[in-house]
Amino acid sequence: MIERTEVDGKPATVAYIDDKFQPVEKDQAVYIKVLFDDGEQLMLSAKDDHARG
Amino acid sequence: MRLVGTGQNRERIEKWVAELKEQIDTLPGDQVGSVKDEQLNGMKTALELWLSADPKLKGAGERSLHEVHDGNGKLLSAVFTQYNRETNVSSIESIGGLEHASLVKALQHMVTHEEKDNHAERIEMTVFDDDTARLSALNEVGFQPDPGATGHGVKVMIRGSSTTQAEKARAERMSLEHQNKVLGASQAAARLLGYDPKLVRISMDDHTFDLAGTQRHAAGLAHLTTGVITIFPNYVYSTDGAVSVTAHEVAHQKYQTVLNYLQKEYEALGEAERQAQQQQQPPLTNFGGELKPEYREQFPLITRFEKHKGDALDRRIKTDGITDYSKDYWKDYAKDKGIVALKVASHETIAEIARRQTETGKIEGSPAWRSYYKDVMKSYDEIQEKLKAAKAA
């Protein structure tokens, strides 16, 4: 799932993916890929805690 | 009279098992599933587990049976436990008793053995919420519900530390091991993609970002100005994840670096065109906007990437991404064909080609994408060489 949103107040395109980098719905995501409009990018954890899968 | 035994007489244990089986099988229909049924089954299972346990572990006291019987040899209660040397935790595997006092007596005997002989830091048992017979007996010998492991209709009853020293040490070992594995996998991925592995680092810090009002933790960060890639092992859950996250970070670093240098060349070309016009000199580009041959050396990136514009770009758009993930970005681009969406889809396709390269060792995708990807990687390497040479000069 891809959506346009803001991360830390900056416009960005975010994608929700699982641990195999397959696109998934938000609630199944392991990682969130963030690509800012200025070219900066980062990977966020979609999990709320430190649990390792 | 209540006497305690530890299962030394096998013949007696087998006799009790047979008697319990008979009692269970002949229970009236209205007592099937009753408290009595549960307790008889609990005793029977405890005895059976003891009979089938490894003799060596029994001899070492790591599998134990504590039973209570009356003066006539009638079984009143039984508890079977196993001790885990690695975690220093004992767990009650089965328990049953015909009366509360006998159940408590068997439990007390078991606690003495596990705490005095095995030095277990915790004894635990998982019990259904509505199993009042077992819960009240466990309470009486000092067991408490573990708040961190209770719910969904069950209670984990514990006596002792909720986390043992052995568990803490194990968690620390695993954490350190995980960190090292993540770093190793990340640096290997970088090396495979021709990126300086020394620029890949791990951090145990917590770097948070606000995503639409929800706080999220960074798993990987790329610092465009320094080239440093930071991986956060607390939020990267496997070595496969580390490789994939690093591959994306490396590819974005390289691609954005090349795009930035390409942009600088276009700015320099624009300035040169402006000066040529002022000085009434011929333009640097021909009518179609292509660089004239004599200026190609001066603008190497523009020269290289000219072939990737126009029809080549159309071919890349038509053949979209190489994985479901990158294809999604091209679907997103198809909605409004905006410049941001095009840039994002291109970035993600490059990142996915790099990620797949770490998995298969091959550069995948359509000819248009493979050619573009190779030129991006080649250009990045040349930029780095030039920077190194400039630094050494």
Side-chain angles (χ1 to χ4, degrees):
Chain A
M1 179 190 172
I2 294 173
E3 65 181 12
R4 291 283 299 162
T5 185
E6 285 193 351
V7 176
D8 272 3
K10 284 169 65 181
T13 304
V14 302
Y16 296 87
I17 48 181
D18 66 12
D19 58 349
K20 306 264 185 247
F21 272 55
Q22 289 294 308
V24 291
E25 292 301 313
K26 275 183 191 179
D27 58 349
Q28 296 166 327
V30 175
Y31 297 110
I32 305 167
K33 180 68 184 285
V34 179
L35 198 59
F36 292 105
D37 291 0
D38 62 6
E40 292 284 344
Q41 65 88 39
L42 61 101
M43 194 74 77
L44 298 176
S45 166
K47 294 185 180 181
D48 292 330
D49 53 33
H50 291 240
R52 293 189 181 110
Chain B
M1 181 190 290
R2 293 187 185 89
L3 302 165
V4 179
T6 53
Q8 299 306 313
N9 188 328
R10 186 175 181 94
E11 199 178 322
R12 186 191 294 161
I13 301 290
E14 286 172 341
K15 180 174 158 279
W16 279 336
V17 170
E19 287 172 0
L20 286 164
K21 190 172 183 310
E22 167 114 25
Q23 284 181 66
I24 292 163
D25 289 347
T26 56
L27 274 175
D30 62 345
Q31 285 191 33
V32 173
S34 65
V35 172
K36 186 178 178 185
D37 189 5
E38 279 181 15
Q39 296 303 319
L40 290 172
N41 270 295
M43 286 194 287
K44 179 170 154 286
T45 304
L47 299 180
E48 287 172 336
L49 286 170
W50 171 249
L51 287 172
S52 63
D54 183 334
K56 278 185 193 165
L57 294 172
K58 286 198 228 181
E62 294 179 18
R63 299 290 182 274
S64 65
L65 176 74
H66 302 274
E67 49 82 8
V68 174
H69 57 273
D70 67 13
N72 298 317
K74 185 189 174 190
L75 182 69
L76 299 173
S77 64
V79 182
F80 177 79
T81 53
Q82 60 179 36
Y83 169 70
N84 184 328
R85 186 177 291 276
E86 194 190 353
T87 57
N88 206 18
V89 173
S90 294
S91 57
I92 301 171
E93 299 299 306
S94 189
I95 177 174
L98 297 180
E99 51 172 29
H100 178 75
S102 299
L103 209 48
V104 169
K105 194 172 178 76
L107 280 170
Q108 283 169 334
H109 204 259
M110 177 276 296
V111 166
T112 302
H113 167 69
E114 298 300 338
E115 291 183 348
K116 304 289 181 204
D117 299 337
N118 282 333
H119 305 289
E121 287 178 73
R122 183 175 75 242
I123 308 171
E124 63 185 23
M125 183 182 188
T126 304
V127 187
F128 284 112
D129 272 348
D130 57 359
D131 190 345
T132 51
R134 289 187 177 96
L135 284 171
S136 79
L138 288 165
N139 273 324
E140 194 164 326
V141 290
F143 280 75
Q144 299 287 329
D146 180 357
T150 292
H152 306 290
V154 295
K155 278 190 175 132
V156 176
M157 300 295 288
I158 62 166
R159 181 186 153 101
S161 311
S162 59
T163 309
T164 66
Q165 288 303 318
E167 285 172 329
K168 281 179 198 162
R170 189 185 180 198
E172 277 170 21
R173 268 199 319 275
M174 285 181 73
S175 174
L176 190 62
E177 199 179 317
H178 178 69
Q179 286 171 38
N180 289 334
K181 279 183 182 173
V182 165
L183 179 62
S186 303
Q187 291 187 328
R191 197 176 288 114
L192 193 80
L193 293 170
Y195 199 76
D196 184 354
K198 291 196 292 294
L199 290 173
V200 178
R201 293 159 195 179
I202 58 167
S203 171
M204 301 312 288
D205 293 344
D206 196 7
H207 206 120
T208 58
F209 291 83
D210 180 90
L211 171 57
T214 304
Q215 195 180 61
R216 297 289 185 184
H217 306 269
L221 277 179
H223 311 275
L224 205 55
T225 48
T226 59
V228 170
I229 289 170
T230 308
I231 304 291
F232 298 85
N234 275 339
Y235 298 98
V236 172
Y237 309 104
S238 64
T239 49
D240 283 351
V243 168
S244 297
V245 170
T246 306
H248 266 237
E249 303 288 357
V250 165
H252 287 302
Q253 280 282 35
K254 288 189 170 190
Y255 188 37
Q256 192 58 42
T257 300
V258 172
L259 290 180
N260 289 349
Y261 274 81
L262 184 58
Q263 180 59 30
K264 276 185 195 170
E265 277 194 14
Y266 273 116
E267 285 166 9
L269 175 62
E271 178 59 22
E273 289 279 37
R274 196 182 59 78
Q275 283 182 13
Q277 199 175 13
Q278 269 182 355
Q279 293 161 14
Q280 296 183 327
Q281 297 290 318
L284 286 76
T285 53
N286 62 28
F287 191 68
E290 286 176 357
L291 267 176
K292 289 179 178 170
E294 60 268 35
Y295 296 109
R296 285 183 183 160
E297 204 175 319
Q298 192 181 340
F299 301 101
L301 290 177
I302 292 176
T303 303
R304 179 172 292 151
F305 283 93
E306 265 180 349
K307 65 178 177 290
H308 295 297
K309 290 160 70 177
D311 290 347
L313 173 60
D314 289 342
R315 282 197 296 277
R316 290 204 303 280
I317 292 171
K318 270 182 200 160
T319 51
D320 57 37
I322 67 155
T323 60
D324 288 345
Y325 169 76
S326 52
K327 278 176 183 162
D328 267 7
Y329 285 92
W330 289 104
K331 284 180 201 157
D332 200 50
Y333 164 73
K335 288 178 198 163
D336 61 5
K337 301 193 189 303
I339 190 71
V340 170
L342 176 64
K343 198 174 153 188
V344 168
S346 299
H347 251 289
E348 293 305 328
T349 307
I350 292 286
E352 280 292 88
I353 295 173
R355 184 179 71 80
R356 290 288 299 156
Q357 195 183 345
T358 63
E359 289 178 355
T360 66
K362 293 176 188 163
I363 297 170
E364 296 179 350
S366 66
W369 272 111
R370 289 203 304 273
S371 168
Y372 188 58
Y373 178 83
K374 283 176 189 172
D375 275 346
V376 168
M377 298 300 141
K378 188 177 173 184
S379 300
Y380 176 84
D381 290 345
E382 287 174 2
I383 291 166
Q384 294 308 307
E385 284 300 318
K386 279 182 189 167
L387 287 173
K388 212 182 279 177
K391 209 174 175 184

